[in-house]
Amino acid sequence: GVRAARLQTLTHLTRLISGSLDSDAVLQEITRAAAELMGAPFVRIWTADEATQTLTLRASSEDRLAADYPTSHMRFGERSVGWVAKYRQPLHIPNIFADERVTTNDWFRAHGLQSLLAVPILSQDRLLGVLILIDRQPLHFVPGQQALLDNFVAQAAIAIRNAMTYAAEAAARDAAEAAAR
């Protein structure tokens, strides 16, 4: 049934995360699984850089919808994703056409989308990114979906943290090799 399918997907993601160094592929997989299991047409993950206060788009559940989205970078405080990054709070906007935090109205309208839920991806006290679900109607969670969403966010945090650790180790290794030369 539904629970078995969910469990299978989450188990698959956990295995993927622990075995993969390609964090973009992992994040992509998380957005696809979230879109499928949350019943949302479009899910994206943005990663945060607290030093520069910027967000970078890292994964989208669907290429067709991603193709004409107007930007892949934004500042903390900018738009809905930036709002979540700045305040580290979830943001649910049932109707984006009635909210001044959303400035991509034409894109939403073109794709028949109207609502969003964006949640911060946090690890200890660090903001790692933002996960956003975009839907055709206001999101109403059925029982178990909030826990499911929390799970996807936690898995995204692990994938992003792994990527940062790996990048830091690679940089340290390069520096050590350069020094040795």
Side-chain angles (χ1 to χ4, degrees):
V2 175
R3 287 194 57 169
R6 267 183 197 177
L7 198 61
Q8 202 177 355
T9 301
L10 296 174
T11 307
H12 165 70
L13 286 175
T14 304
R15 266 207 305 273
L16 194 70
I17 289 168
S18 54
S20 175
L21 294 172
D22 181 0
S23 69
D24 283 3
V26 174
L27 293 174
Q28 182 95 25
E29 199 73 26
I30 292 171
T31 60
R32 289 204 180 120
E36 191 182 323
L37 293 181
M38 303 297 294
F42 198 41
V43 178
R44 322 194 80 175
I45 291 173
W46 296 73
T47 52
D49 182 339
E50 289 193 300
T52 58
Q53 300 275 292
T54 55
L55 292 147
T56 304
L57 179 64
R58 288 293 288 282
S60 300
S61 62
E62 220 259 20
D63 296 338
R64 189 183 54 82
L65 287 172
D68 62 352
Y69 191 80
T71 183
S72 59
H73 292 278
M74 63 182 93
R75 291 182 303 281
F76 284 17
E78 191 185 356
R79 306 185 185 196
S80 50
V81 169
W83 187 96
V84 171
K86 183 176 177 179
Y87 296 106
R88 297 174 168 219
Q89 297 291 325
L91 176 65
H92 177 220
I93 302 180
N95 177 11
I96 63 104
F97 302 109
D99 195 295
E100 71 287 348
R101 281 170 296 208
V102 182
T103 51
T104 44
N105 291 3
D106 293 348
W107 178 85
F108 274 84
R109 198 172 282 117
H111 294 287
L113 300 164
Q114 76 151 39
S115 71
L116 66 83
L117 171 66
V119 290
I121 301 169
L122 298 162
S123 174
Q124 278 114 18
D125 205 33
R126 284 178 79 179
L127 176 77
L128 299 181
V130 176
L131 184 145
I132 182 166
L133 304 167
I134 297 174
D135 211 334
R136 296 190 176 87
Q137 60 268 323
L139 292 128
H140 294 295
F141 282 179
V142 298
Q145 276 194 311
Q146 181 61 53
L148 200 55
L149 180 59
D150 294 344
N151 206 305
F152 287 127
V153 170
Q155 293 190 321
I158 295 166
I160 295 167
R161 219 171 47 226
N162 287 354
M164 288 163 77
T165 305
Y166 183 69
E169 283 168 1
R173 206 167 41 243
D174 292 349
E177 282 167 10
R181 282 200 297 277

